[in-house]
Amino acid sequence: MRIIKVAIADDHKIFRKGVILSLRPYTNLKFVQEAENGEELINGLLQADPDVVLMDLRMPQKDGIEATKFITKNYPHIHIVALTMFEDERFVGHMMEIGANGYLLKSADPSEIRRAIMDVMNKGYYLNNFVNRILLKKAHAKQKVIPNLNSEITLSDRERDVIKYICMEFTAAEIATKMEVSPRTVEAIKDRLMERFGAKNTAGLVFYAVKNNLVD
């Protein structure tokens, strides 16, 4: 089993140590970096080279939002899972839109944190019930707006299928099998959609699709 390298950024040392200790039973996770703020995290990324960062939002010097923006721009291969006490849906939406791959509350069980890490590595995103409720709320609120035919989002059948299967948590290879195309074709369609909608990653694409009612 591949070892997944994890970093954690949080200004509360006791919480950092608690998360690390709670995930110790999962032997495929290896913590390679601890940071008490976004600046310290960024300065250590080259040496630590994590696969996933568990990111708090409120931190001194450079907060988790600014650190996420920097990492998604300069280290796009690193997956970011917000791990915070902020339940405000505005933070959830903003983090997903700037490139975070998942959003967890600090009350999450170790098993869920581990599941989030595995999902962002395997599928590119992790959406739990908390985030799904916010997405549905946003989608419902958008439905109340009178539609404008000139701004309607049009998708080809292939594009709609790719988005649908991504939201159903299928991998590119699984989607390719269902659509009877190559995985490279699926990735090309996904990349084109991400560029079109300004999504930073797969999580951002899913967030955009649900928010704009592109999937049933």
Side-chain angles (χ1 to χ4, degrees):
M1 184 180 293
R2 180 195 168 190
I3 300 298
I4 298 174
K5 295 179 292 183
V6 183
I8 182 169
D10 194 290
D11 58 334
H12 293 95
K13 183 176 181 179
I14 293 178
F15 180 78
R16 291 199 314 267
K17 296 298 184 183
V19 170
I20 294 171
L21 183 63
S22 70
L23 294 177
R24 185 173 293 174
Y26 303 110
T27 55
N28 67 316
L29 304 182
K30 179 183 179 181
F31 278 87
V32 295
Q33 184 184 5
E34 286 185 63
E36 63 180 24
N37 58 65
E39 194 69 38
E40 184 180 345
L41 171 70
I42 289 168
N43 290 339
L45 285 179
L46 274 178
Q47 182 177 353
D49 190 28
D51 299 303
V52 178
V53 174
L54 300 177
M55 184 82 76
D56 190 17
L57 297 191
R58 177 178 288 172
M59 295 183 289
Q61 296 188 41
K62 189 183 289 290
D63 61 38
I65 294 174
E66 291 304 313
T68 297
K69 290 178 181 177
F70 181 90
I71 293 171
T72 54
K73 179 180 178 180
N74 296 280
Y75 300 91
H77 63 284
I78 296 178
H79 301 80
I80 298 174
V81 177
L83 185 58
T84 177
M85 66 175 63
F86 289 106
E87 299 184 46
D88 191 317
E89 62 188 51
R90 292 172 298 178
F91 286 107
V92 179
H94 188 59
M95 284 295 288
M96 301 299 277
E97 287 169 352
I98 65 174
N101 303 86
Y103 196 103
L104 291 174
L105 299 178
K106 287 187 174 182
S107 57
D109 291 333
S111 60
E112 184 178 12
I113 298 176
R114 191 254 185 180
R115 185 164 62 251
I117 292 171
M118 298 301 295
D119 274 10
V120 299
M121 287 297 296
N122 294 327
K123 297 184 296 189
Y125 66 95
Y126 174 72
L127 301 178
N128 56 13
N129 291 335
F130 169 67
V131 175
N132 281 332
R133 282 197 300 270
I134 291 174
L135 287 173
L136 289 172
K137 182 178 178 181
K138 285 180 174 291
H140 179 70
K142 193 173 184 66
Q143 287 174 348
K144 295 179 181 179
V145 178
I146 298 174
N148 182 345
L149 292 176
N150 294 324
S151 63
E152 186 177 354
I153 300 171
T154 58
L155 297 172
S156 69
D157 290 341
R158 275 193 172 184
E159 288 173 334
R160 194 171 295 279
D161 284 343
V162 167
I163 288 182
K164 178 182 70 175
Y165 288 131
I166 288 174
C167 291
M168 292 172 68
E169 304 187 8
F170 288 107
T171 64
E174 292 168 338
I175 295 172
T177 299
K178 287 181 174 294
M179 295 178 60
E180 299 182 346
V181 297
S182 70
R184 182 174 296 180
T185 298
V186 173
E187 291 290 352
I189 293 173
K190 185 182 76 172
D191 290 344
R192 187 167 65 243
L193 289 168
M194 287 169 54
E195 182 177 1
R196 177 181 172 187
F197 299 141
K200 301 288 187 181
N201 50 34
T202 306
L205 180 59
V206 171
F207 188 84
Y208 183 93
V210 176
K211 187 171 69 172
N212 289 278
N213 301 312
L214 300 184
V215 289
D216 297 328

